[in-house]
Amino acid sequence: MNCAGILSAARDCVLRDRAATHGRAENGFAAIAQIWDALDRARGDRPRDAADVALYLAGLKLVRAATNPAHTDNWIDLAGYAACGGEIATQDWPGVEETIWPEGRVA
């Protein structure tokens, strides 16, 4: 795909009735900003890392799911960001081991 095709596809995504799926952009962006501000406060002075990015992207999907709970893409992406973030956050921690729950779940 060339630049013109990419820009045309982006135009279609932005200009079609995205509000029907995600709500008004300014409302969603404002809610996302509030979640990201809360994550910044919770993180404190610790530098943002890759696991934090998963949290911020999950915040985006939380807002989208609140706007349109029936849009399954939001729930799938939310679960994916949580799984990726959890893996990233625990991969370099000594002593963190997987726990097998009686039901066969891994935690």
Side-chain angles (χ1 to χ4, degrees), residues 28-43 48 52-63:
F29 289 0
I32 292 163
Q34 290 177 331
I35 290 175
W36 289 5
D37 285 345
L39 290 170
D40 285 343
R41 287 190 303 276
R43 192 180 73 255
R48 186 176 296 127
D52 292 315
V53 171
L55 291 172
Y56 286 77
L57 293 173
L60 164 81
K61 288 302 180 169
L62 286 169
V63 170

Side-chain angles (χ1 to χ4, degrees), residues 16-24 27-28 31-32 59-78:
R16 71 176 178 214
D17 192 13
R18 66 159 302 288
T21 303
H22 301 300
R24 292 176 51 97
N27 295 342
I32 292 163
L60 164 81
K61 288 302 180 169
L62 286 169
V63 170
R64 292 240 173 122
T67 303
N68 186 355
H71 190 64
T72 57
D73 176 71
N74 297 322
W75 298 104
I76 293 166
D77 287 350
L78 178 60

